[in-house]
Every structure is written in structure tokens, then in C-alpha cells.
Amino acid sequence: MARVSWRWAAVAVLIGSLTAVPTLVAALPADGSELTATQLLAKVRASDDVAWSGYGTRRGTLVGPDVRELSDLPGLVGETTRARAWWRGPRDWRVDALSLVGETDTTRDADGGWTWQSADRRALRLVGDLDVRLPIAADLLAPVLGRRLAGTADVDATRLPARRVAGRTADGLRLSPRDPRRTTVRSVDLWAEPDTGLVLRVEVRTSASAPSLISTLLDLDLSTPAAERTSFDRPERASVVVGEAPDIAALADRFAPYALPDTLAGLPRRARSPLSTGGGVGTYGDGFTALALVPLPHDFGHKVVDRIDPKDDDGVATIATPLVNAQVVLSQDERAYLLVGTVPAGELTAAAAQLRAAPPARIR
């Protein structure tokens, strides 16, 4: 495990102290609505078109190793991020995310989107839709994350007491997996604005102790943001890159040359969008049991294994956290795979054994 320097630890403590007061206020009880769990869940699932703007934080406790080759893989590093968001609709929004290393601004429009990295003054223009990509800061905002987690069918829903979140009364909802043996997720607790179903706070638990992931809004405006709020104006002297695959997952989905199996470690492969142009990445499981298979270039996989496990003797490097587990697997036929998901480590080991015993057929 990489050691966090005392300087970054001091900054993290400072940020924690600044966000502690809103968290305590959110914990205060409130009088909620009379909605049933089923009714509230339906509202949350239908909240994608709700217009809003606000400021929120996301805090994780998932500490992993320093792997620069997988530096964009989220959820494996415990950190606090802050973001200001303007949401006019699922294809018209902007999220400005601040972290300890700089600012990343992301916009979405009808033809694609922009990502602006302040550290290197680089703007990436994404063309079209992506069926597979790594999550970004926008995916971890409470309204987006909460709606996505509520979209799974293989859960039981129960009401929780209401709370005050972002200055509003929010109805509580607990989602529990129906087969807890095959997932690291014990429960997902949501607090949503009852009239719109917009999720204001998300707590993901892997045990009965403190949540492993918390995403919450600290302020909220339910009026429609002005159109100029979600547009991107390229800064002067900024470099611009135009692409269709901004990260390793998107590249693998577009160019990986294998026909992936229909089942992996006993989990069925999830259906893809009929508009998808990829197919090199597979996602398996249902509900909170999610396992992704990402084929990697063999030399790239070797670099990752050497960084995570310098004394490697089995061609497998493991990254373990309470919520997300991952393995990079090398095979004797000069192949490499990334397995990552909200499943116990044993599921990854079973998947790796299957891929080694029955390598996917090459199609390119």
C-alpha cells in the first residue's frame, strides 16, 4: 500500500473539518412524507429529467495502492472531492470537480462532451456516446449515483427516517441485495426530495460500521439552470484533443479482439445497448453484484502487475478494498485482463481461473 504523506493527510483533515458541520446537520431527524418504499423508489428511478444545481461532496474510505497505470480507476483511493453541478437534463449538464490535485470540469451536450483539466490546461472533446467508460466525478454526485443504484431490480427496498439534507427534508430509503453472499455491498441508503425523487444523499455500506462511500449535496436549487451554465468556453492557450475513447475501458471496449464469454464465474453477461459500437468489455452479474472484464495489452498488464506485486510469481496482482476488489491477471498465451467489481475476492479468483482455462476466442 502506498503511504500518504503527512502533508496530504493534513489537507484531508482540514477538508474533513470544513465538511463536518453540514454532515452533522444532515443527521438531524425530520418529518418525512407518507410515500411508501415502492412509491419513493419509483420516483428516484424517474428523476433523471429533474433540473437542478448544487454543491456537493463525495468521501470514500477505500485506500488502495499507487498504480499510475490505473490512476483513472475510481473508487480505489480514499479521498474527498467537492463539486459544483448544473443539470438541465441527462444530455445537458456541467460538473466542476475540485480535488487535492486540481480541477476537472466536465460538460455534456447533444453531440458529446468536454473535459477540461486545469493542471495541464488540456481540453478533451468527446464525440458521441460511450456505452463503456470509467466513472467520472459526475457519476458520483448524489443525484446521479443514487438514481443509478436505485435502478437495479435485484434489491429489497424499505423506508428509513427522513433527514435534513441541503436545507430540505429528504425521505429515507434503504436498498438491500437479495443475495448478499455474492456482493460486497451490504446496503445502500438514500435520502431523496419527495416531490421530485431527486437523491440528495447516498451512503454505501459494506458492513454495519461506517459507510465506505458517502455522496451528499450541501446546497440545492431546483430551478432550471441557465443554458450558459452548462456550456464550455475553451480557455486561451489551451490544448485540445478530440477522441472517441478517453480511457482504458473505452479503448478496450472498442478495440479488444476477443469474443467474451456469456457467463463468468457463474454470473451472466449483462445486455448491451443496441446502439453500442463496442463489445470488447463485458459486465457480468445483476443488481449490486457487478463484475467487469476488461482485456488489456499484455505489456501493459505486466507493468501493472510489477507495480502492485513486485515479487509476483503467479501472474496475478490483487487490489482489495471493502467495496471494490480488482485483479490484473496474466495468462500464458500472452494475454492480460483486468477484473474489477463489487464482488468478493473469491469471485475474481474464479473468473481468472476460467479465463486461463478457456481463453476467449480471438475475433480480430
Side-chain angles (χ1 to χ4, degrees), residues 26-33 159-164 169-172 191:
L28 295 177
D31 293 328
S33 73
R159 280 295 307 264
L160 291 173
R163 295 167 71 168
R164 293 288 293 177
T169 298
D171 284 356
W191 283 268

Side-chain angles (χ1 to χ4, degrees), residues 229-281:
R229 284 293 192 180
T230 60
S231 63
F232 176 76
D233 296 322
R234 190 179 73 184
E236 293 184 5
R237 297 185 297 278
S239 62
V240 177
V241 178
V242 179
E244 298 178 340
D247 56 50
I248 186 174
L251 283 169
D253 191 54
R254 189 173 293 272
F255 299 113
Y258 307 124
L260 300 184
D262 293 331
T263 61
L264 189 61
L267 300 173
R269 187 175 182 182
R270 296 184 181 182
R272 297 289 298 264
S273 165
L275 301 178
S276 173
T277 58
V281 170

Side-chain angles (χ1 to χ4, degrees), residues 33-43 157-159 171-173:
S33 73
E34 298 299 322
L35 292 172
T36 67
T38 300
Q39 292 170 333
L40 181 57
L41 180 58
K43 281 179 170 284
T158 56
R159 280 295 307 264
D171 284 356
L173 185 69

Side-chain angles (χ1 to χ4, degrees), residues 298 302 314-315 329-337 352 355-356 359:
H298 192 258
H302 256 298
D314 61 357
V329 182
L330 305 178
S331 63
Q332 294 181 349
D333 55 351
E334 297 297 305
R335 299 188 188 186
Y337 310 96
L355 293 170
R356 283 175 160 178

